[in-house]
Amino acid sequence: MKVIKTIDSLRRDLQLRKADGHSVGFVPTMGALHEGHLSLIHQARDNHEVVVVSVFVNPLQFGEGEDFESYPRDIERDQQLCEEAGVDILFYPSVEEMYPREASVEIRVVQGVDVLCGESRPGHFDGVVTVVLKLLHMVEPNAAYFGQKDAQQVAVIKQMVQTLSMSVQIIACPTVREEDGLAKSSRNVNLNTRERELAPALYSTLIKAGELAKSGSSRTELMEYVAKNLDQLELGTIDYVDVLTYPELVASEQLSGTVIIAVAYQFSRARLIDHILVEL
Amino acid sequence: MKVIKTIDSLRRDLQLRKADGHSVGFVPTMGALHEGHLSLIHQARDNHEVVVVSVFVNPLQFGEGEDFESYPRDIERDQQLCEEAGVDILFYPSVEEMYPREASVEIRVVQGVDVLCGESRPGHFDGVVTVVLKLLHMVEPNAAYFGQKDAQQVAVIKQMVQTLSMSVQIIACPTVREEDGLAKSSRNVNLNTRERELAPALYSTLIKAGELAKSGSSRTELMEYVAKNLDQLELGTIDYVDVLTYPELVASEQLSGTVIIAVAYQFSRARLIDHILVEL
């Protein structure tokens, strides 16, 4: 595995491999890799001759008071995990390499950002699409892999690719879960014993709501059902419950096509998100 | 020459040619092709195995009250000129093909737009970079060719390519001029005889200002020199005279590096722009 830190050498290396007709799969990450990331890497490994993983903690997507400085960084461990997973190129640029000068253009997400996690994180998705667009321009992969767990991020990126007429395929990989259904997250370690016992209720409630959606419940009924069930946990507070079209993330009482039922729940020391997609 | 109207068939066609290792030169235009465009096409023809020309009158870059509806369109003639110039693919999409749905992201130019032509055309360059970014994503050329005559457009596009880490080479081709120095423009036909006689003064004044710049004149001195000389024409009015860094388009009394001296002059029925670049 090559560890590459500059855009120029990344391009030079990839150019040679592409000239041989090799297909490139790209997994952009912020590092601190866990099983979720590894499942993306494995899928890219299955589909492409060349797998590129980027590790870059993107300052643009952190708001004021958010945890840019304290965001976990462990490049040695990331490097080892990538090597074991058969990655070809680990791209690990500095902030100066990614943003060498003031931006001459700014990208603003204007659809699907005033809902779900976007509501409490203004500008967050502008930072996400900016870094993803730049990384896609650097790697020019055939496909890029994202975790479906970050459903809104995947939606926003898919919509950007469409709006900007990009040819790259955006592949969303399924959420990796514990045996009891809890979505894997680095934040799960911050649950206490009682919270950890009850946390799978997030997912099981979403599954039941999905069944109700299929049997004709309205948006309001579904939101009330999920809220009522999660209120019964009596452990923390609901940050949001929402039911939207996917990937447009538009509220519509008439449910049809692909619909996301999404929840964010604040436990004592961990805010967890989860969702399901339902085909109606 | 192939005339292609959809993005899908453009991509399919180009994919085959690129798989053969062919280099692609791209000339984006709004049609109504003239000698300036042809010089871009000839340069692309010299440098690449495949030449793609797009003809698309981009509604996004026309402001309210501007001439989107009346902008000259003559696709038969454009097609014939492209064919004669040895173009391989003429890409001629509809507005619906280019903008099939509401944009999920918006691109805003934040550097170099509150000066020169940008000052009187708010949003114009946002529309320009949006369509150019989309076209570059569709064609994925090795190089794209623009007329240096539209100096601010070239500057904004070069800066966008840098900010967004794109690999495409942006090539600015020299302004094509009449024998007496007047920059070729489809608007020159709207000059009356007396105006046509005096119009070359725009360029000759810029040339003299360039010499003054090289011998140490300040920004203010250069602007005053150009304004005084053009005022003596007594034919119309100066829209702007400016001296800026290039391609950043920043005003600085200390002149160094590449500097643009630019002018827009309103004759009775034609507004002409011209400029020179000086290396200091």
Side-chain angles (χ1 to χ4, degrees), chain A:
Chain A
M1 185 180 77
K2 279 197 184 173
V3 180
I4 295 182
K5 295 188 173 186
T6 70
I7 300 164
D8 277 353
S9 44
L10 177 71
R11 283 220 174 95
R12 263 198 307 277
D13 189 293
L14 283 170
Q15 203 162 22
L16 294 174
R17 301 179 193 243
K18 285 174 187 171
D20 291 340
H22 288 172
S23 146
V24 176
F26 177 42
V27 183
T29 81
M30 299 218 298
L33 302 182
H34 54 61
E35 268 180 87
H37 301 107
L38 293 177
S39 79
L40 306 180
I41 295 172
H42 293 145
Q43 191 166 343
R45 186 69 284 166
D46 286 348
N47 296 347
H48 304 275
E49 282 95 5
V50 181
V51 174
V52 181
V53 172
S54 65
V55 169
F56 179 64
V57 184
N58 173 35
L60 278 199
Q61 71 190 68
F62 288 80
E64 259 185 75
E66 288 185 7
D67 54 347
F68 173 66
E69 294 300 338
S70 64
Y71 193 88
R73 290 163 171 87
D74 190 348
I75 188 65
E76 277 81 26
R77 189 168 166 280
D78 291 344
Q79 189 168 336
Q80 195 191 324
L81 288 170
C82 283
E83 194 121 34
E84 287 167 11
V87 169
D88 299 291
I89 298 175
L90 174 58
F91 180 50
Y92 177 53
S94 66
V95 172
E96 292 65 36
E97 181 71 10
M98 288 295 286
Y99 302 113
R101 55 182 70 79
E102 242 180 288
S104 69
V105 296
E106 284 175 3
I107 306 189
R108 222 155 42 91
V109 183
V110 294
Q111 265 178 25
V113 283
D114 51 353
V115 293
L116 308 183
C117 297
E119 210 179 347
S120 56
R121 303 189 73 183
H124 167 68
F125 287 108
D126 298 344
V128 169
V129 298
T130 302
V131 78
V132 169
L133 183 59
K134 280 170 68 83
L135 287 167
L136 290 174
H137 285 154
M138 292 169 196
V139 179
E140 293 180 334
N142 299 78
Y145 294 78
F146 295 87
Q148 178 59 46
K149 171 146 195 296
D150 298 318
Q152 189 170 14
Q153 172 170 287
V154 169
V156 163
I157 290 168
K158 279 190 173 173
Q159 303 276 91
M160 170 189 77
V161 162
Q162 214 165 50
T163 289
L164 298 183
S165 311
M166 304 178 79
S167 63
V168 63
Q169 208 186 342
I170 300 297
I171 296 178
C173 299
T175 304
V176 179
R177 296 182 179 279
E178 306 287 352
E179 277 192 15
D180 59 11
L182 179 65
K184 293 217 180 194
S185 162
S186 46
R187 296 191 172 92
N188 290 351
V189 296
N190 291 330
L191 298 171
N192 65 33
T193 315
R194 175 96 181 113
E195 287 175 336
R196 178 62 191 82
E197 266 173 46
L198 293 176
L202 292 182
Y203 187 53
S204 59
T205 302
L206 290 171
I207 293 289
K208 278 182 228 138
E211 287 161 11
L212 292 174
K214 280 187 186 285
S215 43
S217 291
S218 72
R219 173 170 184 262
T220 309
E221 285 164 352
L222 293 175
M223 287 167 67
E224 283 173 0
Y225 173 83
V226 175
K228 204 187 67 187
N229 273 265
L230 295 186
D231 275 337
Q232 286 169 1
L233 290 183
E234 291 184 358
L235 280 177
T237 52
I238 294 170
D239 186 13
Y240 62 72
V241 173
D242 213 339
V243 178
L244 302 166
T245 62
Y246 194 87
E248 301 82 9
L249 302 181
V250 172
S252 161
E253 198 57 26
Q254 296 297 322
L255 300 176
S256 66
T258 306
V259 164
I260 183 171
I261 309 176
V263 61
Y265 192 88
Q266 182 67 54
F267 290 94
S268 55
R269 295 189 306 120
R271 177 177 174 279
L272 301 190
I273 60 172
D274 205 350
H275 75 278
I276 58 164
L277 296 180
V278 191
E279 298 293 335
L280 297 180

Side-chain angles (χ1 to χ4, degrees), chain A residues 19, chain B residues 13-23 49-50:
Chain B
D13 189 291
L14 283 170
Q15 202 161 24
L16 295 174
R17 301 179 193 241
K18 286 174 186 170
D20 290 340
H22 288 171
S23 146
E49 282 95 5
V50 180

Side-chain angles (χ1 to χ4, degrees), chain A residues 11 108 110 137 164-165, chain B residues 11 104 106 108 137 164-165:
Chain A
R11 283 220 174 95
R108 222 155 42 91
V110 294
H137 285 154
L164 298 183
S165 311
Chain B
R11 283 218 174 95
S104 70
E106 285 176 1
R108 221 154 43 92
H137 285 154
L164 298 183
S165 311

Side-chain angles (χ1 to χ4, degrees), chain B residues 15 19-20 22 36 38 67 87 89 95-96 102 111 118 142 161 186 206 211 240-241 249 275 277:
Chain B
Q15 202 161 24
D20 290 340
H22 288 171
L38 293 178
D67 54 347
V87 169
I89 297 175
V95 172
E96 292 65 36
E102 243 180 288
Q111 265 179 24
N142 299 78
V161 162
S186 46
L206 290 171
E211 287 160 11
Y240 62 72
V241 172
L249 301 182
H275 75 279
L277 296 179

